[in-house]
Amino acid sequence: MATRAPLQHAAALEGPLTAQGRALLDRLAEHLPRIEASAAENDREGAFPADTFDAFRKTGLMGATVPARLGGLGVDRLYDVAVALLEVAKADASTALALHMQFSRGLTLGFEWRHGDQRAGALAERLLRLMAAGEAVVCSGIRDHHSVVTTLSPDGSGGWLLSGRKTLVSMGPIGTHFVINAKTDVPGEQPRLASPVVSRGARGLAVLDNWDGLGMRASGTVDVVFDNCPVPAGDVLVRDPVGSRNDAVLAGQTVSSIAMLGIYAGIAQAARDCTVTAVARRSGAPAGATRTLLAEIDARLYALRATAGAALATADGAGGDLSGDPAERGHRMMRSFQCAKMLVNQLAPMIVSDCLTLLGGASYTASHLLGRLYRDVRAGGFMQPYTYVDGVDFLSAQALGIDRDNNYMSTWAARPGRNGGAGDEEVAP
């Protein structure tokens, strides 16, 4: 049975819990002034800060969550990753969102390396060593473009061909490897979920330059198209049949995404700090309404950070305990994540909105810091798992004992594509 050292008391994301987390924060600190200085221009131009990520690579940050035995920093606490992302998000949320893609892949690939079968372990180790060496930038492609379902078909010689289109792939402009969620299309066999890993130089792969988001404009969140891309058999992990119920996967989905709570805590913190500084510079004593709103902002921010911190600590504790029922472990991790996510996605926009109220019309411009934060903070509601509607369905079903398929990747794959008749009518934002 895998065991882990007891966690320290989890405060409101006030600092790392481990030595590895502190080392990560120390390395990030040298980059934060430059990230903050270029954030407004990158947002205005919708430009991905490739130079920042090159600097991350040179200082070992792109391998921060790679196990130390494979050359990384060995950060394996979700809580510590969220604290690091919070600090980056205070400087620029777009950079934090893109960096999260690399951090989360290190964590999930680390689990495959430790606990997966021989094929999964070998593939994970190869990618992790490349990440630690600064040679791999690993992006995730989960969400299908509304017009297609991404499929993986046999190539007739033991390998696979990948076709489809993924949307909202952050860090795409510099991605070297893409971990894709697809379904198999094998004649006479039930479709299965699969995770092919596709290198950027693969034939038929195209990274589009099509991001013009309302917020997170410098995150490099683009579409990636696959046109019969060849994928070797050893680079594909075939998983459960589409539509099967396997709530054990909720644990991995939690690990992939829960640290993003730190990003929205960082946005709210940046808005609060900017507002307090501006109010303190005004002449005369602040009005009673101003002081009341500032007190409410601080109370909401503490509640946000404490809720996120508690959920992250729960995920860290459950993630290290493989002794019980895997499905119940998945439920426990996802429940705490979704409760925290729902509150964070309510409180963070409220805080930024109240800050706009306090600073007045001067802050309601595209060039003002609060204008950027106001747009960036809304991205939290679109992040899977889950969006608001799916999160409501999950939590209410858990409370009422309603049977449902909780694996959002499986439910997406079960929907026929728009190009095949009755299709998925969802239009990607």
Side-chain angles (χ1 to χ4, degrees), residues 173-187:
I174 62 168
T176 63
H177 298 76
F178 297 87
V179 180
I180 302 303
N181 178 55
K183 73 173 183 179
T184 61
D185 182 14
V186 180

Side-chain angles (χ1 to χ4, degrees), residues 43 89-90 92-94 213-217 263-264 266-272 274-275 344-382:
D43 175 77
K90 285 163 57 178
D92 179 33
S94 288
L214 176 67
M216 299 292 189
R217 287 180 50 77
I263 297 173
Y264 299 97
I267 294 172
Q269 185 70 57
R272 179 266 181 200
C274 163
T275 301
V344 168
N345 287 342
Q346 291 171 357
L347 292 174
M350 288 174 64
I351 290 166
V352 179
S353 180
D354 286 345
C355 289
L356 280 163
T357 297
L358 283 175
L359 294 194
S363 64
Y364 193 63
T365 63
S367 61
H368 195 280
L369 171 61
L370 285 183
R372 169 160 51 90
L373 298 177
Y374 191 70
R375 290 181 283 105
D376 286 348
V377 79
R378 289 293 290 117
F382 304 113

